[in-house]
Structure formats: C-alpha cells, structure tokens
Amino acid sequence: MKIREIEPAVDADALLAGAQFADAFGLEVDGHALDARQATERMVGRAPRWIDALVTLRNILVGPFGLKTSGAGAATPPRDMIGMFPVISQTPDRLVAGFNDSHLDFRVVVDVATHGAGQQVTATTLVKTHNGLGRTYLAIILPFHRLVVRSMLAQVAA
C-alpha cells in the first residue's frame, strides 16, 4: 500500500469557487468493491485514536473563537453526515463533504475509479479562507492535515 501526493484532478471552481488551497492524495486498492461513500466511511469511521485526540484538542482550542466543531451545528442541519462531515453531494464515483464557516470553507472530495485490477481512491481537500483567522488556522493545521489525510486514506485499504 503506497499513498502518494498527487496533483488535484477536480474542478475546484465547481466544488468550491475561489479555493486558495488544494491538495490530493491517492491510494490503489485491490478489487472493485468500493464506491465513494464506502471509501469515505472507511476513512472517517476507522480513524486511529491519535486522530480522534487531535480532533478533540482542535475542538477545545477553536471553541472560544466561535468556530464550528462539525457541520452538525449549521442553521439548516445537514440531512446526511459521515463522521463530522456533512455530505454535500454523492455519486457512486464521488462524494463531496464539508461545510462553510466564518473563517473558511472546506470540501473533502473522495473519488473512486477503476485502475487496472483494482481501484484508485483519491482524497482531495479544497479550502477557501475568508479572513486572517482562516489563513492562520490553515497555516497551523497544514502539517497535521497531511499526516491525518494520509493516515485516514490508509484506512480504506485496512
């Protein structure tokens, strides 16, 4: 299992117009059994404990600034969530999740495509910051983000 950083292959403007940050990581898995929702559920539902601890710490630290700790507190609650991420749209090949906040908007895009004898699962992150707090927050979490996404993507093959 090799997770590699790849060039984002999504239409960022269609998914999050004005996004200033985008990255993508890919993983090849054996077989053809996964759709995008299943891959996302594996990523989010099987997170290692250290990621849960980081998310808990993040929520404690950002709470006083009025930042959302999940999409659940939205004025119009999402109909469908995977973990703390509201599902924005989904097809068998692509699931888009994320939410908008006062400091930044983000999207997580999970794509599943046939690749040889298996499947390519790609996790793309898009972020649009709105102010100094958003830019600062993004700069602080970026090193952790890369570790978290790689670790969560590894759960798809586990």
Side-chain angles (χ1 to χ4, degrees):
M1 170 184 64
K2 183 178 180 184
I3 297 169
R4 54 188 170 74
E5 189 163 4
I6 59 178
E7 191 67 31
V10 299
D11 181 353
D13 282 334
L15 295 167
L16 184 60
Q20 300 117 330
F21 172 81
D23 70 1
F25 294 87
L27 167 70
E28 293 179 24
V29 294
D30 294 332
H32 298 280
L34 290 175
D35 64 21
R37 184 176 190 93
Q38 292 166 324
T40 306
E41 288 171 344
R42 285 186 181 187
M43 286 175 62
V44 176
R46 298 180 181 179
R49 286 195 178 115
W50 67 267
I51 292 177
D52 291 337
L54 272 180
V55 170
T56 299
L57 178 62
R58 176 242 180 243
N59 292 344
I60 290 168
L61 294 174
V62 303
F65 296 100
L67 304 183
K68 291 180 184 176
T69 56
S70 79
T76 305
R79 296 176 310 191
D80 187 17
M81 292 185 66
I82 297 179
M84 65 181 224
F85 303 114
V87 175
I88 296 169
S89 66
Q90 79 177 56
T91 65
D93 298 332
R94 171 175 283 173
L95 186 135
V96 180
F99 53 83
N100 300 340
D101 203 352
S102 60
H103 68 304
L104 60 76
D105 304 340
F106 84 95
R107 301 292 182 269
V108 176
V109 182
V110 178
D111 290 303
V112 176
T114 299
H115 188 266
Q119 292 175 294
Q120 170 79 24
V121 179
T122 304
T124 304
T125 304
L126 303 169
V127 179
K128 177 182 178 180
T129 60
H130 298 298
N131 51 37
L133 179 58
R135 289 184 292 279
T136 301
Y137 176 79
L138 182 60
I140 290 170
I141 68 155
L142 212 47
F144 301 102
H145 161 78
R146 288 185 170 100
L147 291 171
V148 167
V149 172
R150 284 177 182 268
S151 181
M152 290 178 78
L153 193 55
Q155 299 307 306
V156 174

